[in-house]
């Protein structure tokens, strides 16, 4: 059952309770390889589900528009201080509702509609909110987009520099959602300085790796850092904006009153709990194990002949290009899900197929590493992925169901926070 237990939902709303319970069990039984997902601790779940959700706190600690902040003020201050200490930044705002609103606040702080901004194109691995055309950020700003090189699958910093010097963007975003390689923050910082732009490092995917010392930090290079709290950082759904002292007040004003109303105090508490966990030595081990596992999985997939964008990984994420495997990303992801292995279909750079049926499969190790899987298990997972993709190409569903049972058996040996048998 769900852990912590939800007896009051069980009795008052069994329909919803059954769905929550079903999801908890699903998360326990599957090998969850979506790289933006994780399992938060029971402590984080508990903090998220508290009476803090009842309280309005528009403003910031010591400067609120509602009375009764005796407990919320110290709580938000602790969350901010923990973020500052963990990442080594001057300033942290823990109020953004999620990663996209955090990025919108950055635009509001430093750019006006119609201004030029620059980010990585979505199909190249960037995020919607970095100026992609269907996003408000692509509609309201003049977005110029960089990508990766066709031959290397990596960001071409010469191209980024040429584009920045030609277009003079106000903001340059680095980071993204499907980047399997280390982000060169010093190089981006040099380009931004030369172009007169503010560098925004969006570390949503890799925040936990940075906190745990398994990826270089943008601190000292990027004036503004945005992140979600729910990916490798293993906190609740939420976000933070961190910055140098210089940008602090512009960013705070942009979040409130510029973009948002009251902060979600229950989320702030859960962020504080997650940051406390991420400051422990065990979290360093976790972050390094995530990378070790991803490299092992990438190696095992490559050994089976699969093409990986950029040839492998430096972090938690692998992007498989299935072009030569004779199957699209979507049918492959659906077959894998049936086989108990959860991934997501994704475009690959220069994808000849359409975004709703692309050539790629995106996977990663943050969640299975939280469960306790080690490098030795990755060979087995790669074997299952290979077998499932091969079976899917032949529409062999019995094989998929057999694998699902084997996956369930493996995962049952590893406890999942959020579920007790
Ligand atoms: C996930 C992600 C976001 C957006 O987060 P949401 O909470 O889904 O809005 C923004 N930027 C990057 C790079 C991301 O990976």
């Amino acid at each position: 059952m769900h852990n912590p237990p939800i007896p009051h939902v069980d009795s008052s709303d069994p329909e919803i309770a059954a769905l929550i319970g079903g999801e908890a069990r699903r998360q326990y039984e599957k090998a969850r390889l979506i790289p933006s997902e994780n399992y938060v601790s029971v402590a984080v779940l508990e903090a998220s589900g508290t009476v803090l959700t009842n309280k309005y706190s528009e403003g910031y600690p010591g400067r609120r528009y509602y009375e009764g902040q005796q407990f919320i003020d110290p709580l938000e201050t602790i969350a901010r201080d923990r973020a500052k200490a963990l990442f080594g930044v001057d300033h942290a705002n823990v109020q953004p509702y999620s990663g996209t609103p955090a990025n919108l606040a950055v635009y509001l702080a430093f750019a006006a509609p119609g201004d030029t901004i620059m980010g990585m194109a979505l199909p190249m691995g960037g995020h919607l909110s970095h100026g992609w055309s269907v996003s408000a950020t692509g509609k309201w700003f003049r977005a110029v987009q960089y990508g990766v090189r066709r031959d290397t699958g990596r960001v071409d910093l010469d191209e980024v520099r040429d584009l920045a010097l030609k277009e003079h963007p106000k903001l340059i975003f680095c980071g993204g959602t499907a980047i399997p390689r280390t982000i060169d923050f010093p190089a981006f910082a040099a380009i931004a300085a030369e172009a007169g732009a503010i560098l925004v490092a969006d570390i949503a995917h890799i925040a936990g790796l940075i906190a745990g010392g398994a990826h270089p930090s943008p601190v000292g290079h990027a004036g503004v850092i945005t992140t979600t709290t729910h990916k490798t950082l293993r906190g609740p759904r939420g976000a933070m904006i961190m910055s140098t002292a210089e940008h602090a007040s512009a960013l705070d004003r942009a979040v409130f009153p510029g973009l948002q109303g009251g902060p979600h105090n229950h989320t702030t508490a859960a962020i504080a709990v997650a940051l406390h966990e991420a400051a422990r030595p065990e979290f360093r081990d976790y972050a390094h194990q995530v990378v070790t596992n991803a490299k092992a999985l990438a190696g095992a997939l490559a050994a089976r002949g699969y093409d990986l964008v950029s040839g492998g990984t430096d972090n938690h994420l692998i992007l498989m290009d299935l072009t030569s495997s004779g199957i699209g990303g979507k049918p492959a992801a659906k077959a894998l899900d049936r086989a108990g292995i959860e991934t997501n279909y994704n475009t690959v750079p220069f994808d000849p197929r359409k975004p709703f049926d692309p050539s790629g499969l995106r996977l990663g190790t943050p969640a299975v590493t939280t469960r306790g899987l080690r490098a030795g298990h990755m060979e087995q997972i790669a074997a299952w992925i290979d077998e499932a993709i091969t079976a899917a190409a032949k529409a062999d569903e019995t094989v998929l169901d057999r694998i699902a049972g084997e996956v369930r058996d493996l995962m049952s040996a590893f406890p999942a926070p959020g579920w007790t048998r």
Side-chain angles (χ1 to χ4, degrees), residues 1-12:
M1 64 180 187
H2 193 271
N3 181 30
I6 51 167
H8 300 87
V9 190
D10 284 336
S11 59
S12 71

Side-chain angles (χ1 to χ4, degrees), residues 104-123:
L104 291 180
V106 175
Y107 289 93
L108 185 60
F110 302 114
D115 281 352
T116 302
I117 62 92
M118 188 167 147
M120 193 180 203
L122 179 72

Side-chain angles (χ1 to χ4, degrees), residues 94-316:
V94 296
Q95 293 192 4
Y97 298 143
S98 215
T100 301
N103 285 341
L104 291 180
V106 175
Y107 289 93
L108 185 60
F110 302 114
D115 281 352
T116 302
I117 62 92
M118 188 167 147
M120 193 180 203
L122 179 72
M124 295 285 179
H127 189 259
L128 279 164
S129 62
H130 297 179
W132 189 240
S133 56
V134 300
S135 150
T137 61
K139 293 182 196 290
W140 295 345
F141 301 95
R142 193 179 149 267
V144 293
Q145 305 262 276
Y146 60 87
V148 296
R149 283 177 65 105
R150 199 184 273 273
D151 54 343
T152 62
R154 296 174 188 243
V155 173
D156 184 337
L157 287 158
D158 292 330
E159 184 207 322
V160 175
R161 180 174 176 271
D162 290 347
L163 198 60
L165 294 181
K166 176 162 156 268
E167 304 285 358
H168 292 290
K170 282 243 169 85
L171 298 170
I172 297 176
F173 283 84
C174 61
T177 62
I179 304 174
R181 294 297 180 179
T182 302
I183 297 167
D184 189 344
F185 296 119
F188 272 101
I191 292 167
E194 208 180 342
I198 294 174
L199 179 64
V200 186
D202 181 346
I203 60 168
H205 260 260
I206 54 175
L209 304 185
I210 292 168
H215 186 292
S217 170
V219 176
H221 307 294
V224 178
I225 300 166
T226 60
T227 185
T228 55
T229 47
H230 48 269
K231 298 179 185 174
T232 51
L233 195 55
R234 220 163 58 181
R237 299 201 89 77
M240 307 193 292
I241 304 177
M242 299 178 279
S243 75
T244 54
E246 180 195 358
H247 297 311
S249 61
L251 289 164
D252 281 355
R253 269 183 279 120
V255 173
F256 177 86
L259 196 68
Q260 299 189 167
H264 294 181
N265 295 316
H266 55 304
T267 300
T268 306
I271 289 174
V273 170
L275 290 169
H276 194 54
E277 292 175 358
R280 293 202 192 115
E282 303 90 277
F283 195 86
R284 290 188 81 77
D285 298 341
Y286 165 69
H288 285 93
Q289 191 66 45
V290 166
V291 176
T292 301
N293 285 353
K295 285 180 188 286
L297 182 56
L301 290 167
R304 286 180 159 71
Y306 286 99
D307 294 326
L308 309 181
V309 172
S310 82
T313 183
D314 297 328
N315 54 30
H316 64 300

Side-chain angles (χ1 to χ4, degrees), residues 280-371:
R280 293 202 192 115
E282 303 90 277
F283 195 86
R284 290 188 81 77
D285 298 341
Y286 165 69
H288 285 93
Q289 191 66 45
V290 166
V291 176
T292 301
N293 285 353
K295 285 180 188 286
L297 182 56
L301 290 167
R304 286 180 159 71
Y306 286 99
D307 294 326
L308 309 181
V309 172
S310 82
T313 183
D314 297 328
N315 54 30
H316 64 300
L317 183 147
I318 297 161
L319 193 55
M320 296 173 72
D321 182 346
L322 296 177
T323 304
S324 65
S325 308
I327 186 168
K330 193 173 191 172
K334 287 200 177 304
L336 283 166
D337 191 55
R338 175 148 184 175
I341 297 170
E342 196 185 1
T343 63
N344 70 273
Y345 60 87
N346 212 96
T347 52
V348 296
F350 309 100
D351 204 325
R353 298 165 69 111
K354 297 272 180 287
F356 57 84
D357 185 21
S359 305
L361 206 55
R362 192 182 68 146
L363 30 112
T365 51
V368 291
T369 305
T370 296
R371 291 291 293 274

